[in-house]
């Protein structure tokens, strides 16, 4: 299984970015796919997830600003990030795992992350 995140970059506060997670070795329509991030000096944290049944979950810090979606034909999951804030600066990763409560417990399928930097 490979999960390749891309789409990061430098953006001003209030701007938008769309991250992509291209999957190989699994079919995204049959798995829960989630996004996590690790900010400098902080622990990795849950951001958003979409289940195989099309339910979505968000961290409170991104709710209303970020949207997770899936394109089954491209076997890719996306994270649309709007109204970005400097505190969203982090390396973003995609992974799979079960939903526990309103978050995801990540399994061992971590792809290479993509860096998002939001300037003030």
């Amino acid at each position: 299984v490979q999960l390749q995140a891309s789409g990061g970059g430098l953006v001003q506060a209030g701007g938008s970015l769309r991250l992509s997670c291209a999957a190989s070795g699994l079919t995204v329509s049959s798995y829960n796919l989630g996004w996590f991030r690790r900010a400098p000096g902080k622990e990795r944290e849950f951001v958003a997830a979409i289940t195989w049944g099309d339910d979505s979950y968000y961290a409170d810090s991104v709710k209303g600003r970020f949207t997770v979606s899936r394109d089954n034909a491209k076997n890719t999951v996306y994270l649309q990030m709007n109204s970005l804030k400097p505190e969203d600066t982090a390396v973003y990763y995609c992974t799979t795992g079960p939903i526990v409560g309103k978050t995801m417990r990540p399994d061992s399928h971590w792809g290479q992350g993509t860096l998002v930097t939001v300037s003030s």
Side-chain angles (χ1 to χ4, degrees):
V1 174
Q2 289 190 337
L3 299 168
Q4 182 63 52
S6 62
L10 174 63
V11 63
Q12 288 188 332
S16 298
L17 280 174
R18 188 178 78 157
L19 305 184
S20 300
C21 174
S24 59
L26 62 82
T27 303
V28 298
S29 60
S30 300
Y31 283 79
N32 302 329
L33 273 293
W35 290 92
F36 284 72
R37 67 186 181 187
R38 176 173 282 166
K42 295 187 177 181
E43 296 292 318
R44 188 159 48 196
E45 65 175 357
F46 169 75
V47 176
I50 185 167
T51 71
W52 59 268
D54 279 338
D55 293 321
S56 56
Y57 299 85
Y58 298 93
D60 288 343
S61 58
V62 307
K63 202 170 293 183
R65 300 188 297 122
F66 290 12
T67 303
V68 60
S69 63
R70 181 178 59 218
D71 185 330
N72 294 337
K74 295 183 179 180
N75 212 36
T76 298
V77 175
Y78 301 99
L79 184 68
Q80 178 67 44
M81 306 186 295
N82 298 329
S83 302
L84 282 161
K85 304 176 181 179
E87 51 263 44
D88 294 318
T89 294
V91 178
Y92 286 71
Y93 303 87
C94 54
T95 187
T96 60
I99 299 298
V100 179
K102 295 184 178 181
T103 185
M104 171 180 274
R105 186 176 68 221
D107 65 17
S108 59
H109 296 140
W110 291 106
Q112 185 175 356
T114 187
L115 175 62
V116 172
T117 303
V118 184
S119 63
S120 57

